[in-house]
Amino acid sequence: MSRQAGRGTESKKMYWYLPFISPSASMHLMNSELFTLTYGALVTQLCKDYENDEDVNKQLDKMGYNIGVRLIEDFLARSNVGRCHDFRETADVIAKIAFKMYLGITPSITNWSPGGDEFSLILENNPLVDFVELPDNHSTLIYSNLLCGVLRGALEMVQMAVDVKFVQDTLKGDSVTEIRMKFIRRIEDNLPAGEE
Amino acid sequence: MSRPPGRKQDSQKISRELFVLTYGALVAQLCKDYEKDEDVNTCLDRMGYAIGIRLIDDFLARSSVKRCRSYSETADMIAQVAFKMYLGVTPSVSCSSAAGNEFSLILDKNPLVDFVEELPAERASLCYCNLLCGVIRGALEMVHLAAEVTFLQDRLKGDAVTEIGITFLRKAEDRKHRRNK
């Protein structure tokens, strides 16, 4: 099935449907609309599969996590960023390079906590919700929750345990979409538990 | 949950890996939901159709293409403009019938399976990329072209290339379609 770059991955399950890193990492550009609509199909399917929004949110987060632990390799290969020295640098890299690369937007970074361990990403425009309105019976659905999982999974692979959540959402009537990221601790162990 | 896309600002180009991974998550979820490959394939096709009937609006708005005057032009448009725009690849096109209504799109590189080596043994009949067939079919239907779209060859199944077959169906009662030939 899919091979993984050797990085102490024995404890992770093999997901045959998820990519490993292409050796010919080059410009793989596309317009975002097909992605937006495919993401919508995924959320819709999950809403069929799970009765309540909370379970859908959890599943999106889990899927995102599994995506993030692989996407980080592509990101590091493609972006050539060096090791971040502190959480502020990490925030910059996430907002200005990673979001730009994979979603075509550059969120702004605001609301730093006094200790420098928490910040917000403000997305004025979220391509994942381009064609979306939440129906009334899904008012607690965190539609873009995949992104939280992606960020969490990706950062775990670079030894950072973080908490990521949406605190504002244009789909729920807020004026912007705000993702809050909190640094929890450094991970010393190179073999994360991984998730089903 | 969706509303029709309105005109918006120029689309940003994105690197496709997040999309490819998300697509994989979608296929995996369907494989949990359905035991049989045929059911997953049908579901992917249906989802693709629902996507295609919306995507066509965006395509027509962004590409400013004129009405295609033949099936051949349509096939070229799909390969050289639509695939390029939404997947970043350009399949080659060939006409595979004397009647001029059957075409093949050959993908040397199928981005959706860029990194998938092979299907697991228990999923041997899965058409992993079947979403694409539905997308094309749905999009064409919105411009009044009925077509059958299937995977004829699939690299994931050991074939040398990935080949998508598009057969334009001429409705017997609709003489207008003669103009498309």
Side-chain angles (χ1 to χ4, degrees):
Chain A
M1 303 328 133
S2 66
R3 279 182 278 118
Q4 294 192 16
R7 245 210 297 95
T9 56
E10 292 82 4
S11 63
K12 289 213 289 276
K13 281 178 86 158
M14 291 297 193
Y15 294 97
W16 56 269
Y17 50 83
L18 289 179
F20 62 87
I21 294 305
S22 164
S24 61
S26 57
M27 303 295 272
H28 294 160
L29 297 178
M30 55 183 269
N31 274 28
S32 59
E33 289 77 17
L34 179 56
F35 177 30
T36 300
L37 290 163
T38 302
Y39 184 75
L42 174 64
V43 178
T44 303
Q45 186 64 24
L46 290 178
C47 288
K48 283 189 198 157
D49 291 345
Y50 297 95
E51 270 189 29
N52 62 65
D53 290 349
E54 202 38 55
D55 290 339
V56 177
N57 295 340
K58 282 203 189 100
Q59 187 65 10
L60 280 171
D61 182 75
K62 203 193 313 186
M63 287 177 160
Y65 176 87
N66 289 329
I67 288 173
V69 302
R70 280 172 176 72
L71 193 65
I72 184 70
E73 290 183 37
D74 179 82
F75 175 70
L76 293 174
R78 201 180 294 285
S79 67
N80 256 337
V81 294
R83 192 180 193 70
C84 291
H85 296 102
D86 58 32
F87 203 44
R88 281 186 185 264
E89 261 190 64
T90 306
D92 276 341
V93 168
I94 291 171
K96 295 173 184 160
I97 308 183
F99 264 82
K100 181 79 185 148
M101 191 183 288
Y102 296 117
L103 288 170
I105 55 169
T106 309
S108 49
I109 303 168
T110 61
N111 288 349
W112 278 99
S113 63
D117 64 339
E118 232 180 296
F119 66 93
S120 288
L121 294 166
I122 308 283
L123 288 75
E124 276 169 23
N125 166 36
N126 178 359
L128 290 183
V129 310
D130 268 342
F131 309 128
V132 174
E133 282 173 5
L134 281 186
D136 291 334
N137 59 332
H138 285 290
S139 55
T140 50
L141 181 67
I142 306 173
Y143 184 86
S144 308
N145 213 32
L146 193 100
L147 295 183
C148 294
V150 173
L151 288 164
R152 194 166 56 82
L155 288 172
E156 188 170 308
M157 291 291 107
V158 288
Q159 276 76 57
M160 275 184 265
V162 294
D163 182 63
V164 191
K165 57 179 193 270
F166 279 87
V167 297
Q168 290 195 77
D169 194 344
T170 51
L171 278 189
K172 294 181 177 154
D174 299 314
S175 53
V176 291
T177 296
E178 181 181 352
I179 300 175
R180 190 86 185 140
M181 293 195 64
K182 181 180 168 67
F183 178 81
I184 311 253
R185 62 182 169 83
R186 182 161 181 73
I187 301 171
E188 299 306 335
D189 184 7
N190 262 340
L191 298 174
E195 282 181 18
E196 173 63 27
Chain B
M1 228 180 280
S2 62
R3 53 185 159 77
R7 283 202 178 243
K8 48 183 171 62
Q9 67 273 23
D10 283 341
S11 179
Q12 289 287 348
K13 291 286 191 188
I14 59 173
S15 195
R16 59 181 181 236
E17 286 70 23
L18 180 55
F19 166 56
V20 171
L21 287 157
T22 302
Y23 184 77
L26 172 64
V27 177
Q29 185 63 26
L30 292 178
C31 287
K32 278 190 204 163
D33 293 344
Y34 299 101
E35 266 189 38
K36 296 203 272 185
D37 293 350
E38 293 71 42
D39 292 338
V40 178
N41 295 341
T42 302
C43 195
L44 280 171
D45 182 78
R46 201 168 21 90
M47 287 178 165
Y49 178 85
I51 288 173
I53 62 175
R54 287 175 174 75
L55 197 61
I56 185 70
D57 279 345
D58 182 82
F59 175 72
L60 293 173
R62 269 184 218 293
S63 60
S64 306
V65 293
K66 305 256 188 309
R67 188 183 190 75
C68 291
R69 289 161 303 169
S70 66
Y71 291 143
S72 172
E73 256 189 68
T74 308
D76 281 344
M77 188 68 61
I78 294 170
Q80 290 159 13
V81 186
F83 262 81
K84 182 80 187 147
M85 191 182 287
Y86 296 117
L87 284 171
V89 291
T90 310
S92 56
V93 186
S94 60
C95 183
S96 49
S97 76
N101 68 328
E102 284 178 35
F103 295 85
S104 280
L105 305 182
I106 309 267
L107 286 143
D108 277 337
K109 278 169 56 69
N110 177 356
L112 288 184
V113 309
D114 251 350
F115 312 119
V116 179
E117 276 199 37
E118 59 183 19
L119 296 173
E122 67 271 17
R123 287 289 180 188
S125 340
L126 182 66
C127 290
Y128 184 88
C129 305
N130 218 33
L131 193 100
L132 293 185
C133 295
V135 173
I136 297 171
R137 190 166 60 83
L140 286 173
E141 191 168 304
M142 289 293 110
V143 290
H144 308 295
L145 288 170
E148 276 170 11
V149 190
T150 51
F151 276 89
L152 300 175
Q153 295 193 73
D154 192 346
R155 253 215 172 125
L156 276 188
K157 294 178 177 158
D159 299 317
V161 291
T162 298
E163 180 182 356
I164 300 176
I166 304 179
T167 302
F168 293 98
L169 308 168
R170 195 171 296 147
K171 296 180 194 141
E173 70 275 13
D174 189 348
R175 299 201 180 282
K176 250 196 294 186
H177 278 249
R178 291 249 176 100
R179 260 196 281 130
N180 284 334
K181 183 87 169 75

